[in-house]
């Protein structure tokens, strides 16, 4: 029996609501993007009594329209209809493009910035203000607002229990994941949006709160340029487009005292590059990282039904610190189709044989602390994401696969399927090293995906090496802020959404503490 709740309805202006060919709007703060950073910023500014306008390029899709079919929701809710990929084509970069952004389609997992990452930022990028103690109140606030909690036993499905059993048998650290969810319906369809509104995404939390306080939210509205005068941001230009026909409906101009870019680590740098601003460092679009992720599948004699229950239950943090490997494993469930896509099941009778045992498979995902070797850029007006697995990161990719395989054999697996383009199966624990070491770092070596683009608007105290200062304001342009994962000087290793929430709160506090500078 499905559990339903009444969908939260937002007051959103969409393309079909606009009748005139041009709009001229005025605000104290214009926020570009409605995801983790943008929604928090909009709420904090509206709560402080500021007039706020939020512009989102994607459509407004209330949860009543989520049908829990992943291919349909890829088409409806994701950037490039789920086809956003690196220039080499071997890594999908999945982002939500809708009201609420990627928070609508992520797996709910919430981590604070690891302490050792903050220490690196303080040492290498001069971010001495970003201490564990300074950020703690913002994380506390977010966790309370979004019901972030450690998974209870009923939220840990059979799939994650296999990962936990194997890790414990090896004496490795394994912990319940923390998720932003209230009374999880345990349907396992997180990546398709939460139909029952249990996921505490921006669609059902900060955006409705901001709207209640007077913030105006526009969907189908892509910002094309940031305006600057006398060294300060003065507003933005945007285009409203019908999401079905692709036809431009209207031009929009927003004059504002403060501009906040929160369109994500791909669209934010592209907007800056298109505006030809704030790039004296030459770092806009550079330092791209994305936690390239693979799925490891193991076969057991007993039924697992990896797609039943909460999608993500536990994680293995034994190797989290770079000195121990720089990777984590998360017990991530998947449907039969996704399991087939994550490995090489063969064709014909071999494929049928593989898929007939789908109920017996367990799966986990790997995340690595990748180096910031990629770049997001414009080429003839087109978006280009240049990223390949660095040779320095490839050992971590292979170490993660080996660890996952050892865990599964320790839990009683019959065999382990590697996430490689060519078919590679580990039949016993003593084969792990030989099979994994046979993979070489070349394009399409792994079947990879990323949900965590980061780093393209690097934060730092040195304006020659960073785009924004330690409080999120661009070094080159006053009253122009960035509040999304593009800020992070390095990859986080862990799921970034909670860190974006907290950083946006932190930056909002900085703006509001100096109202004379920003709102005079």
């Amino acid at each position: 029996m499905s559990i339903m709740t009444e969908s939260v309805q937002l007051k959103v202006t969409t393309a079909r609501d606009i009748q005139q060919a041009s709009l001229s709007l005025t605000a104290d703060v214009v926020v570009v993007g409605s995801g983790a950073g943008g929604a928090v910023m909009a709420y904090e500014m509206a709560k402080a009594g500021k007039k706020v306008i939020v512009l989102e390029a994607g459509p407004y899709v209330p949860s009543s329209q989520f049908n829990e079919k992943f291919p349909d929701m890829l088409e409806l809710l994701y950037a490039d209809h789920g086809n956003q990929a690196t220039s080499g084509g071997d890594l999908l970069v999945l982002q939500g493009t809708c009201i609420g952004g990627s928070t609508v389609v992520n797996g709910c997992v919430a981590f604070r910035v690891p302490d050792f990452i903050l220490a690196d930022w303080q040492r290498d990028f001069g971010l001495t203000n970003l201490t564990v103690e300074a950020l703690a109140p913002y994380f506390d606030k977010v966790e309370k607002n979004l019901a972030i909690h450690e998974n209870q036993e009923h939220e840990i499905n059979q799939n994650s229990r296999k990962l936990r059993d194997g890790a414990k048998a090896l004496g490795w650290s394994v912990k319940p994941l923390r998720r932003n969810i209230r009374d999880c319906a345990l349907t396992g369809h997180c990546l398709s949006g939460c139909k029952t509104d249990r996921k505490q995404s921006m669609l059902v939390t900060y955006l409705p709160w901001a709207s209640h306080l007077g913030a105006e939210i526009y969907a189908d509205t892509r910002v094309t340029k940031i305006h600057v005068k006398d060294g300060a941001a003065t507003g933005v230009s945007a285009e409203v487009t019908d999401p079905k026909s692709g036809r431009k409906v209207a031009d929009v101009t927003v004059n504002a005292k403060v501009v906040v870019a929160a369109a994500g680590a791909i669209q934010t740098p592209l907007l800056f590059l298109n505006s030809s601003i704030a790039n004296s460092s030459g770092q806009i679009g550079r330092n791209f990282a994305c936690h390239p992720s693979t799925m490891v599948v193991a076969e057991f004699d007993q039924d697992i039904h990896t797609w039943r229950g909460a999608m993500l239950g536990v994680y293995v943090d034994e190797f989290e610190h770079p000195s121990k490997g720089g990777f984590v494993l998360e017990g991530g469930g998947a449907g039969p189709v996704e399991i087939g896509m994550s490995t090489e099941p063969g064709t014909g009778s071999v494929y049928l044989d593989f898929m007939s045992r789908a109920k017996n498979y367990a799966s986990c995902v790997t995340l690595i602390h990748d180096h910031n070797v990629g770049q997001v850029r414009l080429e003839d007006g087109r978006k280009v994401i240049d990223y390949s697995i660095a040779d320095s990161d490839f050992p971590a990719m292979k170490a993660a696969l080996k660890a996952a395989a050892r865990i599964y054999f320790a839990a009683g697996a019959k065999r382990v399927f590697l996430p490689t383009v060519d078919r590679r199966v580990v039949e016993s624990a003593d084969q792990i090293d030989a099979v994994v070491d046979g993979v070489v770092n070349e394009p399409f070596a792994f079947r990879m995906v990323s949900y965590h683009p980061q780093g393209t608007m690097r934060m730092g105290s040195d304006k020659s090496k960073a785009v924004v200062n330690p409080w999120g304001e661009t070094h080159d342009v006053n009253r122009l802020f960035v509040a999304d994962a593009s800020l992070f000087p390095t990859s986080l290793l862990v799921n970034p959404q909670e860190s974006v929430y907290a950083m946006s709160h932190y930056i909002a506090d900085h703006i509001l503490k100096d109202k004379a500078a920003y709102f005079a």
Side-chain angles (χ1 to χ4, degrees), residues 151-171:
N151 277 335
Q152 302 302 295
E153 192 61 24
H154 73 280
E155 296 173 281
I156 300 173
N157 65 2
Q158 183 65 19
N159 181 65
S160 277
R161 289 175 187 176
K162 284 298 181 186
L163 190 70
R164 182 175 64 184
D165 291 347
K168 285 186 174 180
L170 295 169

Side-chain angles (χ1 to χ4, degrees), residues 268-279:
T268 289
L270 293 180
L271 172 59
F272 275 64
L273 290 171
N274 197 57
S275 304
S276 300
I277 58 170
N279 199 21

Side-chain angles (χ1 to χ4, degrees), residues 97-258:
T97 299
C98 56
I99 292 291
S102 292
T103 72
V104 175
V105 294
N106 67 25
C108 305
V109 172
F111 283 96
R112 296 188 177 196
V113 181
D115 293 358
F116 67 86
I117 297 291
L118 286 178
D120 289 346
W121 293 357
Q122 293 158 24
R123 182 191 66 237
D124 298 335
F125 301 98
L127 300 179
T128 55
N129 55 313
L130 298 184
T131 64
V132 173
E133 295 75 20
L135 292 178
Y138 300 98
F139 282 114
D140 290 342
K141 180 187 296 187
V142 166
E143 289 163 5
K144 179 180 179 181
N145 287 347
L146 300 181
I148 293 173
H149 69 282
E150 190 175 272
N151 277 335
Q152 302 302 295
E153 192 61 24
H154 73 280
E155 296 173 281
I156 300 173
N157 65 2
Q158 183 65 19
N159 181 65
S160 277
R161 289 175 187 176
K162 284 298 181 186
L163 190 70
R164 182 175 64 184
D165 291 347
K168 285 186 174 180
L170 295 169
W172 292 351
S173 176
V174 58
K175 298 182 176 73
L177 284 162
R178 298 162 72 249
R179 298 187 301 147
N180 58 313
I181 199 160
R182 295 184 191 273
D183 302 320
C184 183
L186 306 177
T187 64
H189 293 290
C190 293
L191 303 187
S192 299
C194 186
K195 190 173 182 65
T196 61
D197 284 343
R198 309 305 178 90
K199 181 193 299 186
Q200 299 300 284
S201 74
M202 299 299 93
L203 181 64
V204 299
T205 55
Y206 278 84
L207 288 174
W209 303 341
S211 177
H212 177 71
L213 293 170
E216 299 175 14
I217 303 171
Y218 289 76
D220 311 320
T221 306
R222 182 175 298 278
V223 176
T224 56
K225 187 175 182 179
I226 298 171
H227 298 293
V228 176
K229 183 179 180 180
D230 298 329
T234 59
V236 301
S237 294
E239 294 180 350
V240 180
T241 304
D242 184 293
K244 292 184 178 180
S245 68
R247 179 181 61 86
K248 187 172 81 168
V249 172
D251 292 306
V252 177
T253 301
V254 181
N255 296 308
K257 296 175 180 177
V258 172

